[in-house]
Amino acid sequence: MHEILRSPTGLTGSVLLLLVLGMALLGPALAPYDPQQFHPAVRLQGPSWAHPLGTDQFGRDILSRLLNGAPTTIAFGLGATALGVALGALIGIVAGVAGGWVDSVIMRILDGLLAVPDLLFTLLIVTILGGGTGYAMLAVAIAFTPGMARISRSSVLSVRTRDYVLAAQARGEGWGWIVGFEVLPNALSPIIVEATIRVAFAIMIGATLGFLGLGAQPPSTEWGLMVAEARQFMFRNPWMVVIPGIAIALAALGFNLFGDALRDALDPRGRS
Amino acid sequence: MDTLPTPPVLRVDGYTLDYATPAGPVRALEDITLAIGPGRTLGLVGESGSGKSSLAWAIMRYLPANARENAGGLLLQGENLRTMTPQEILRVRGRRASMVFQDPSTSLNPAMRLGDQVAEVLVRHRGLDRAAALAEGEAALARTGITKPADMMRRYPHEASGGEKQRVTIATAFACQPALIVFDEPTTALDIITAQGILQLFRELQEETGVSALYISHDLALVSRIAHEVAVIHRGRIVETDMPARIFRDPRDAYTRDLIAAVPRPDHWLGVAPPPPGAPALLSSEGVNVLYGAPSPLARRLGLRGRPHQGAHEVSFDIRAGELVGLVGESGSGKSTMARVLSGLQPFDGAVRFGERRFTHRRQFDRRYRRAVQIVFQHPDASLNPRQKVGRILSRPLKIYGLASRAERPARVRALLERVLLPPDFADRYPHQLSGGEKQRVAIARAFAAEPDLVICDEITAALDVSVQASVARLLIDLQRDTGTACLFITHDLNLVRQLAHRIVVMQHGAVVDSFDTADAKAPGRAPYTRTLLDAVPEPAEALGGGEADRPARKELP
């Protein structure tokens, strides 16, 4: 952790991430209004003392909605990514370590899946499984799997033929040790960085699904859904789009910078 | 220094260079003064990190952004390179001064035909049109001894061998008849026989064109064979400049003496006493065959035929307990394939006999065999896991072979480190914090930690500087003397192996072509290929054509 905070990138990422996670944990408690309460007198307002980030088309307080939406949004992004990365990394590592025909068969199937665009793939899964936040998360995770598997596999392959892995094989080490202690620690960096980038994607795909009526349903305060709902009123109150948009961007940036710093901190060669 | 009859082509005067780092400036070159006359070759010799490449970059004006030139002049034919504008520098590079890099496979553009790469320089600097440049380029290639230059012009870099590629880069460097060519270790990435050809070519072309050359290398013996003058650089300072013969005969600086002592001399025996005659073999390779690129069962069924390549063909040799056997050959001769077979990394046909046991398949090698036969790889950077501390790397063999309990391990690791002459507190370091030679010592310690009967050393000195090579070889011999371990020493350096090995096995194209006692290396019955290898690395004394008086007295093999 000390290593991460030393670089400017790591520091910025950590601060942003802390902010976002703080919102996710404490947001609902800090919200000044009930996120679903209508204030018909002050619809589509810009920032003011009473409503620091303005109000939406029903006069609901945007700050309160944003704070209430944080837990679901972040949980969705993290959950979908964690699930997708775990599944993809597992498949990729198996393919990379096993090699031969196992590798060929797994990778050809994944290549077929990769040819389908992420969003289309997600839609397909949601259509089969049914809508709702839980299924949307699962769908995003499954859509991420082929890409993550490919990245994990190439990372494992590049390490697998290094001399220190051969040395371990020549020593007569078991497969568990070779994969867990020789290959994985050296193959993890690209997987971690890719995962942190994908958190932001997951939030965006979640938003799109919400917009299409297949993910979170109104009156949920999920950030993506907030952007989607605000689209109609974009010209009358741009704040409605900008505020949740910035929140999503900051969360994405935080995860991304933190991921970069984490990769550097995990590499002993980077330390002096 | 000799008096030069004509003004020098390159003159470096009191040149000093620093690199700015977060921890303050680091001095790379200090008060460098040298001069190269027309048609002369100056050999610049030093170990890695001595600043010799920094000087090459400075002359070619390719310095990185954090370089700070503090003092001194770099004069090419009397013009100061330091005060030239970037436009003027562009006219100098390639036209009046060019450079040949160490590794031809990375210095050529893989997406361009070789002919276009040679012609590009001629179009750029001599204003020829494309057809004329191609014709001129073909002539340039012909001069470098390439047999079918027209054919070579149409090839891409991956379609040419390492030696051919280096000939193309040399042809490119000579193409515009520059006044000065900087050679940065041009033969280090090539195997010995090819390197020998390149050196020969260098000598011929230099005589023919009268170009001046700065030849940079870590190998004093090699430089002495081609340079008119040798400058020895150590920690950014030139410690000595003299004629090669005089440097060998009468070195004045202590560092130069160390360098000379490190040059392998086959008549200077370092190895341990040989095992008694008639001792039984410890390990035997019995008709081992390795086929690379054999088609998979599916491909065979589909009627696809790859072109399999025979990595080893009916290879048989044996190693007795306590013996050091040298396995010699150029790259691609199959010597590393045998290292992989014997350490259980490569599937094979045939048999490996170890003591009373006979193995006919890779899977039969069990932990008992693997403990007894250890391997040390060529590149210490690659063979140590960058994410494990040295202590952990060394305690691993102790753990898996059950040689020490958890409580005993730290002490054993310290003892191992001391045994390879490293400070015991290196146990807490990561490999990247060590130098190349130190890393190789750790790798050797790891092999000996298993208390093996046989250690396979796969080119363990090839990636190291000559000065470090000698100390690593000496360490290996000391360990062998203390433990009685046998050793299969794989190398392409015949001078080195003749100092260490009791017997030498020569491989070519995957087969054993010769096998003899080290003392008989020069005997008349040697295979022609063995003789080619021996001729490719002249002994230092032969190379200098004299200086017999100061050679150490010949010690006969015991």
mmCIF file of all heavy atoms in Angstrom, chain B residues 18 22 53 56 108 149 202 212 278 337 384 403-404 406 424 482 485:
data_model
loop_
_atom_site.group_PDB
_atom_site.id
_atom_site.type_symbol
_atom_site.label_atom_id
_atom_site.label_comp_id
_atom_site.label_asym_id
_atom_site.label_seq_id
_atom_site.Cartn_x
_atom_site.Cartn_y
_atom_site.Cartn_z
ATOM 1 N N ASP B 18 27.781 12.920 -18.055
ATOM 2 C CA ASP B 18 27.010 12.482 -16.886
ATOM 3 C C ASP B 18 25.611 12.090 -17.330
ATOM 4 O O ASP B 18 25.109 12.603 -18.329
ATOM 5 C CB ASP B 18 26.844 13.642 -15.889
ATOM 6 C CG ASP B 18 28.110 13.885 -15.107
ATOM 7 O OD1 ASP B 18 28.963 12.974 -15.091
ATOM 8 O OD2 ASP B 18 28.252 14.975 -14.533
ATOM 9 N N PRO B 22 17.317 10.604 -10.746
ATOM 10 C CA PRO B 22 16.662 11.182 -9.564
ATOM 11 C C PRO B 22 17.613 11.249 -8.367
ATOM 12 O O PRO B 22 17.470 12.109 -7.498
ATOM 13 C CB PRO B 22 15.514 10.215 -9.295
ATOM 14 C CG PRO B 22 15.240 9.572 -10.610
ATOM 15 C CD PRO B 22 16.543 9.507 -11.320
ATOM 16 N N SER B 53 29.638 1.884 -24.498
ATOM 17 C CA SER B 53 28.539 2.168 -25.425
ATOM 18 C C SER B 53 28.113 3.628 -25.348
ATOM 19 O O SER B 53 27.708 4.209 -26.355
ATOM 20 C CB SER B 53 27.343 1.261 -25.135
ATOM 21 O OG SER B 53 27.636 -0.048 -25.563
ATOM 22 N N ALA B 56 30.039 5.449 -27.821
ATOM 23 C CA ALA B 56 29.548 5.226 -29.180
ATOM 24 C C ALA B 56 28.319 6.094 -29.446
ATOM 25 O O ALA B 56 28.225 6.746 -30.485
ATOM 26 C CB ALA B 56 29.197 3.751 -29.383
ATOM 27 N N LEU B 108 17.890 -4.568 -38.096
ATOM 28 C CA LEU B 108 17.288 -4.509 -39.424
ATOM 29 C C LEU B 108 15.773 -4.443 -39.281
ATOM 30 O O LEU B 108 15.203 -5.053 -38.380
ATOM 31 C CB LEU B 108 17.675 -5.743 -40.253
ATOM 32 C CG LEU B 108 19.123 -5.800 -40.719
ATOM 33 C CD1 LEU B 108 19.457 -7.187 -41.235
ATOM 34 C CD2 LEU B 108 19.390 -4.765 -41.792
ATOM 35 N N PRO B 149 24.203 -12.310 -54.138
ATOM 36 C CA PRO B 149 23.741 -11.001 -53.657
ATOM 37 C C PRO B 149 22.378 -10.608 -54.224
ATOM 38 O O PRO B 149 21.553 -10.045 -53.497
ATOM 39 C CB PRO B 149 24.840 -10.034 -54.113
ATOM 40 C CG PRO B 149 25.673 -10.769 -55.090
ATOM 41 C CD PRO B 149 25.502 -12.222 -54.834
ATOM 42 N N PHE B 202 35.660 -7.924 -41.881
ATOM 43 C CA PHE B 202 36.000 -6.599 -41.382
ATOM 44 C C PHE B 202 37.412 -6.215 -41.791
ATOM 45 O O PHE B 202 37.670 -5.129 -42.294
ATOM 46 C CB PHE B 202 35.857 -6.581 -39.857
ATOM 47 C CG PHE B 202 36.460 -5.372 -39.203
ATOM 48 C CD1 PHE B 202 35.787 -4.159 -39.214
ATOM 49 C CD2 PHE B 202 37.698 -5.448 -38.586
ATOM 50 C CE1 PHE B 202 36.345 -3.041 -38.626
ATOM 51 C CE2 PHE B 202 38.253 -4.334 -37.990
ATOM 52 C CZ PHE B 202 37.580 -3.125 -38.006
ATOM 53 N N SER B 212 38.333 4.318 -41.124
ATOM 54 C CA SER B 212 38.770 4.247 -39.731
ATOM 55 C C SER B 212 37.666 3.597 -38.917
ATOM 56 O O SER B 212 36.491 3.774 -39.232
ATOM 57 C CB SER B 212 39.026 5.643 -39.177
ATOM 58 O OG SER B 212 39.973 6.284 -39.964
ATOM 59 N N GLY B 278 39.167 -46.180 -16.234
ATOM 60 C CA GLY B 278 38.372 -47.385 -16.050
ATOM 61 C C GLY B 278 37.247 -47.233 -15.048
ATOM 62 O O GLY B 278 36.546 -48.200 -14.762
ATOM 63 N N THR B 337 19.836 -29.032 -26.758
ATOM 64 C CA THR B 337 18.812 -30.069 -26.809
ATOM 65 C C THR B 337 19.182 -31.202 -25.856
ATOM 66 O O THR B 337 18.332 -31.707 -25.114
ATOM 67 C CB THR B 337 18.692 -30.618 -28.246
ATOM 68 O OG1 THR B 337 18.320 -29.550 -29.097
ATOM 69 C CG2 THR B 337 17.668 -31.729 -28.330
ATOM 70 N N LEU B 384 16.112 -17.044 -12.908
ATOM 71 C CA LEU B 384 15.685 -16.783 -11.532
ATOM 72 C C LEU B 384 14.349 -16.053 -11.575
ATOM 73 O O LEU B 384 14.208 -15.055 -12.281
ATOM 74 C CB LEU B 384 16.723 -15.913 -10.808
ATOM 75 C CG LEU B 384 18.147 -16.449 -10.772
ATOM 76 C CD1 LEU B 384 19.065 -15.458 -10.078
ATOM 77 C CD2 LEU B 384 18.206 -17.789 -10.066
ATOM 78 N N LEU B 403 16.139 -31.922 2.184
ATOM 79 C CA LEU B 403 17.538 -31.898 2.626
ATOM 80 C C LEU B 403 17.727 -31.116 3.915
ATOM 81 O O LEU B 403 18.736 -31.253 4.585
ATOM 82 C CB LEU B 403 18.413 -31.290 1.526
ATOM 83 C CG LEU B 403 18.445 -32.098 0.227
ATOM 84 C CD1 LEU B 403 19.127 -31.307 -0.870
ATOM 85 C CD2 LEU B 403 19.171 -33.409 0.451
ATOM 86 N N ALA B 404 16.753 -30.262 4.250
ATOM 87 C CA ALA B 404 16.887 -29.479 5.473
ATOM 88 C C ALA B 404 15.501 -29.155 5.995
ATOM 89 O O ALA B 404 14.580 -28.917 5.218
ATOM 90 C CB ALA B 404 17.647 -28.180 5.180
ATOM 91 N N ARG B 406 12.617 -26.921 8.013
ATOM 92 C CA ARG B 406 12.293 -25.504 7.881
ATOM 93 C C ARG B 406 13.210 -24.636 8.744
ATOM 94 O O ARG B 406 13.651 -23.568 8.321
ATOM 95 C CB ARG B 406 10.833 -25.296 8.303
ATOM 96 C CG ARG B 406 10.362 -23.867 8.217
ATOM 97 C CD ARG B 406 8.942 -23.767 8.729
ATOM 98 N NE ARG B 406 7.985 -24.273 7.753
ATOM 99 C CZ ARG B 406 7.472 -23.526 6.774
ATOM 100 N NH1 ARG B 406 7.817 -22.261 6.665
ATOM 101 N NH2 ARG B 406 6.607 -24.028 5.927
ATOM 102 N N PRO B 424 26.075 -13.200 2.732
ATOM 103 C CA PRO B 424 24.874 -13.920 3.155
ATOM 104 C C PRO B 424 23.611 -13.055 3.162
ATOM 105 O O PRO B 424 22.511 -13.579 3.011
ATOM 106 C CB PRO B 424 25.204 -14.372 4.574
ATOM 107 C CG PRO B 424 26.671 -14.279 4.693
ATOM 108 C CD PRO B 424 27.139 -13.256 3.729
ATOM 109 N N ASP B 482 35.429 -29.460 -4.172
ATOM 110 C CA ASP B 482 34.929 -29.693 -2.812
ATOM 111 C C ASP B 482 33.904 -30.813 -2.754
ATOM 112 O O ASP B 482 33.804 -31.514 -1.749
ATOM 113 C CB ASP B 482 34.275 -28.422 -2.259
ATOM 114 C CG ASP B 482 35.294 -27.312 -2.080
ATOM 115 O OD1 ASP B 482 36.500 -27.621 -2.148
ATOM 116 O OD2 ASP B 482 34.886 -26.150 -1.893
ATOM 117 N N THR B 485 31.344 -33.447 -7.551
ATOM 118 C CA THR B 485 30.241 -33.529 -8.498
ATOM 119 C C THR B 485 30.779 -33.586 -9.930
ATOM 120 O O THR B 485 31.735 -32.899 -10.257
ATOM 121 C CB THR B 485 29.353 -32.281 -8.331
ATOM 122 O OG1 THR B 485 28.924 -32.218 -6.989
ATOM 123 C CG2 THR B 485 28.163 -32.335 -9.242
#
